[in-house]
């Protein structure tokens, strides 16, 4: 197998310009996701979506995005990460225009599916670009901190921006806002991002493997997001879930025997890669309850409108930014990513623990503001986890590792949406049948979801404590071992 071409020489100034381009692309994608959730009622009223059909505005995007991340990441390694990033950004920007001018449910759902494809292509290689650009540990830590902050803060900003755009203009503008972002990213990425030829398609031209993993992930994610509607024990859910599992198992078997595998299984020999992806899946599933259910609680129980809800969650974005940009890199350098990650998860357990006891008639300052401030755990956990998840990937597999990391994030999100929403709804219905008021029943449902989320975070803490090692530990451990020729450290 030929080695990938090295990126063209790049100056320190160009490194940070490249980071700005990749972070802006991430911001565009995250803003789009959070803006859409706020504008859903307006979209339903204008395009006359049925309640069931409305869910596909989100599901069509999530299915395309989650199922194509792994494939897109590997293709980035094969054909060049810059080429994949530019193509994905172009597809996403064009699809945003189509979504903005949509006049029917079918047109909007199709445009959202295309947005998901473009997002997967661009997002899958973003981290891969960064880890090949920033090779010095301190610089890489700062770059990943900026990247992580962009994603975390973008969700909160999107909730505010979505409410403002929808109320002041109309829902079409939540998609039109992507156009200047997309064009700016394309214009800057061409001269700023280093060119790379990639390994070549012959190094991983496994068409059958690509078909199996894409079909398996698409079917699996679709089954998860529809489980709340059909029931977890329904014949449809169990049957399609089993079929998805068979397709993914066939994909893994294929990768173990294929001459040019799409996903070389050597990537899982790295404890940092395998452990970080498992921790992330548990964390993201749990923290859906913070990102989404807190907004539902503010609106449905406390009566906040969309704009006030976004403003109420801004302190969380502020503290996440202050921690991730201001101190996370220094803490990682001094204490190691593993310890910082464990501290961040502990704070997040406190977040969901407090939310599991939030009253029906909550006071924002005394009951909710402490929760928003404890969200500093995001600013500690996300950069540390991202560094650990990418630390086992070398030049040849950085796109694959990036795509895998993003894929487990989307699977965790889908599981969080499906499982925690179902538990909250079931608990709410049970309380309503026993005479509770609607506000009390909703709060009780959210309490259960928050408690289960806290349990998932405890599991993530245990996995991180037992499985993960910091990059420096791995270096010490492997000094007496023969390094993997692909750039992945087997630990």
């Amino acid at each position: 197998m030929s080695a990938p071409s090295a990126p063209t020489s790049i100056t320190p100034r160009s490194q940070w310009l490249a980071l700005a381009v990749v972070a802006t692309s991430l911001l565009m994608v995250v803003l789009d996701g959070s803006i859409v959730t706020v504008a859903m009622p307006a979209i339903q009223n204008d395009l006359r979506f049925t309640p069931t059909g409305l869910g596909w505005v989100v599901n069509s995007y999530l299915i395309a995005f989650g199922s194509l991340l792994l494939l897109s990441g590997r293709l980035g390694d094969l054909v060049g990460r810059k080429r994949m990033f530019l193509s994905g950004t172009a597809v996403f920007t064009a699809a945003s225009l189509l979504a903005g001018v949509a006049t029917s449910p079918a047109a909007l759902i199709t445009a959202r599916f295309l947005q998901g494809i473009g997002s997967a292509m661009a997002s899958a290689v973003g981290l891969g670009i960064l880890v090949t650009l920033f090779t010095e540990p301190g610089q890489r830590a700062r770059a990943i901190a900026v990247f992580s902050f962009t994603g975390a803060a973008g969700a909160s900003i999107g909730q505010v921006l979505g409410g403002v755009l929808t109320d002041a203009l109309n829902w079409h503008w939540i998609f039109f806002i992507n156009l200047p972002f997309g064009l700016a990213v394309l214009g800057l990425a061409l001269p700023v991002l280093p060119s790379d030829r990639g390994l070549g398609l012959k190094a991983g031209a496994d068409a059958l493997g690509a078909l199996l993993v894409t079909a398996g992930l698409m079917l699996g994610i679709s089954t998860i997001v529809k489980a709340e509607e059909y029931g977890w024990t329904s014949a449809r859910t169990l049957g399609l879930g089993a079929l998805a599992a068979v397709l993914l198992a066939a994909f893994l078997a294929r990768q173990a025997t294929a001459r040019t595998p799409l996903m070389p299984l050597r990537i899982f020999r790295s404890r940092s890669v395998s452990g970080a992806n498992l921790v992330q899946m548990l964390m993201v599933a749990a923290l859906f309850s913070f990102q989404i259910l807190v907004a539902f609680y503010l609106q449905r129980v406390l009566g906040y409108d969309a704009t006030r809800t976004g403003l109420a969650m801004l302190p969380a974005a502020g503290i996440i930014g202050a921690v991730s940009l201001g101190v996370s890199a220094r803490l990682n350098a001094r204490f190691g990513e593993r310890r910082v990650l464990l501290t961040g998860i502990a704070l997040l357990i406190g977040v969901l623990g407090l939310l599991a006891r939030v009253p029906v008639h909550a006071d924002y300052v005394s009951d909710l503001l402490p929760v928003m401030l404890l969200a500093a755990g995001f600013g500690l956990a996300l950069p540390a986890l991202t560094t650990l998840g990418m630390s086992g990937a070398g030049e040849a597999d950085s796109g694959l590792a990036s795509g895998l990391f993003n894929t487990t994030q989307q699977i965790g999100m889908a599981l969080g949406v499906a499982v925690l929403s179902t538990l909250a709804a079931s608990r709410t219905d049970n309380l309503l049948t026993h005479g509770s008021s609607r506000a009390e029943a909703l709060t009780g449902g959210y309490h259960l979801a928050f408690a289960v989320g806290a349990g998932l975070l405890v599991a993530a803490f245990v996995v991180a404590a037992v499985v993960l090692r910091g990059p420096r530990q791995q270096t010490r451990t492997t000094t007496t071992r023969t390094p993997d020729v692909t750039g992945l450290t087997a630990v």
Side-chain angles (χ1 to χ4, degrees):
M1 182 186 299
S2 61
S5 62
T8 56
S9 59
I10 185 168
T11 64
R13 178 175 178 272
S14 296
Q15 279 183 310
W16 296 105
L17 286 174
L19 171 61
V21 168
V22 175
T24 301
S25 175
L26 175 65
L27 178 65
M28 177 175 65
V29 170
V30 173
L31 281 176
D32 181 80
S34 57
I35 282 176
V36 168
T37 59
V38 175
M40 292 282 273
I43 293 174
Q44 182 177 18
N45 292 335
D46 189 28
L47 297 186
R48 299 183 179 180
F49 269 96
T50 64
T52 302
L54 184 65
W56 283 101
V57 175
V58 173
N59 292 342
S60 60
Y61 176 91
L62 181 62
I63 290 168
F65 186 39
S67 61
L68 292 173
L69 278 165
L70 189 61
L71 176 60
S72 297
R74 187 53 175 168
L75 287 177
D77 289 330
L78 301 179
V79 305
R81 287 176 287 275
K82 179 177 180 178
R83 184 179 301 173
M84 182 62 65
F85 180 84
L86 290 171
S87 299
T89 301
V91 170
F92 180 85
T93 304
S96 296
L97 177 60
L98 293 177
V101 300
T103 57
S104 69
L108 181 57
I109 290 172
T110 300
R112 290 287 290 163
F113 189 84
L114 292 174
Q115 277 189 307
I117 294 174
S119 294
M121 294 169 66
S123 301
V125 296
L127 278 173
I129 290 172
L130 293 187
V131 298
T132 56
L133 279 177
F134 295 90
T135 56
E136 192 276 318
Q139 286 188 336
R140 179 180 289 186
R142 289 191 291 274
I144 288 178
V146 172
F147 188 82
S148 300
F149 162 72
T150 303
S156 297
I157 296 171
Q159 290 177 327
V160 178
L161 188 59
V164 171
L165 288 174
T166 303
D167 292 340
L169 298 170
N170 55 57
W171 66 264
H172 298 276
W173 283 91
I174 68 172
F175 299 111
F176 290 147
I177 195 67
N178 292 330
L179 301 183
F181 280 103
L183 294 174
V185 169
L186 287 171
L188 290 172
L190 281 168
V192 167
L193 294 185
S195 298
D196 59 311
R197 292 196 308 272
L199 295 164
L201 285 175
K202 290 183 179 179
D206 181 15
L208 177 58
L211 178 63
L212 288 170
V213 70
T214 303
L217 287 171
M218 190 170 290
L219 183 60
I221 293 173
S222 175
T223 301
I224 290 170
V225 299
K226 298 299 290 182
E228 182 181 358
E229 178 181 345
Y230 291 96
W232 285 94
T233 58
S234 68
R236 179 189 186 278
T237 299
L238 294 177
L240 293 181
L243 179 57
V246 169
L247 289 171
L248 292 175
F251 167 71
L252 292 175
R254 168 72 179 176
Q255 300 314 288
T257 58
R259 188 171 63 87
T260 55
L262 180 71
M263 186 182 74
L265 298 183
R266 63 177 178 261
I267 194 170
F268 294 109
R269 293 205 300 265
S270 167
R271 289 180 64 159
S272 64
V273 171
S274 300
N277 276 279
L278 178 57
V279 170
Q280 178 177 233
M281 190 181 301
L282 292 167
M283 279 182 56
V284 172
L287 294 173
F288 158 78
S289 60
F290 176 81
Q291 294 171 310
I292 303 299
L293 294 185
V294 169
F296 286 171
Y297 167 77
L298 292 172
Q299 293 181 353
R300 297 176 180 177
V301 177
L302 300 186
Y304 287 22
D305 60 19
T307 301
R308 191 180 176 192
T309 297
L311 292 173
M313 298 186 73
L314 271 183
I319 194 69
I320 292 169
V323 172
S324 60
L325 294 179
V327 300
S328 66
R330 291 196 294 272
L331 291 176
N332 286 335
R334 181 171 181 179
F335 299 106
E337 288 82 3
R338 178 176 172 274
R339 291 181 180 178
V340 174
L341 171 62
L342 292 173
T343 302
I345 295 176
L347 290 175
L348 294 175
I349 292 171
V351 167
L352 295 190
L354 289 176
L355 287 172
R357 303 179 60 186
V358 70
V360 175
H361 304 290
D363 176 74
Y364 180 81
V365 173
S366 60
D367 294 316
L368 293 172
L369 186 57
V371 171
M372 302 299 168
L373 297 179
L374 280 177
F378 281 101
L380 293 176
L382 292 179
L385 182 62
T386 303
T387 300
L388 289 166
M390 296 298 295
S391 64
E395 170 71 16
D397 294 298
S398 60
L400 173 61
S402 175
L404 178 63
F405 197 71
N406 281 286
T407 298
T408 56
Q409 183 181 84
Q410 294 306 307
I411 294 173
M413 185 181 299
L415 285 169
V417 170
V419 174
L420 298 183
S421 293
T422 300
L423 290 174
S426 298
R427 177 62 174 163
T428 296
D429 290 342
N430 183 57
L431 291 173
L432 285 172
T433 59
H434 286 81
S436 298
S437 67
R438 180 166 180 78
E440 291 171 339
L442 285 169
T443 303
Y446 298 146
H447 282 172
L448 176 60
F450 293 140
V452 172
L456 292 173
L457 286 175
V458 171
F461 185 95
V462 172
V463 172
V466 173
V467 175
L468 290 180
R469 298 174 181 173
R472 285 167 295 187
Q473 282 182 284
Q474 294 180 49
T475 301
R476 289 195 298 269
T477 303
T478 56
T479 51
T480 59
R481 302 188 185 185
T482 301
D484 192 294
V485 295
T486 64
L488 276 172
T489 306
V491 291

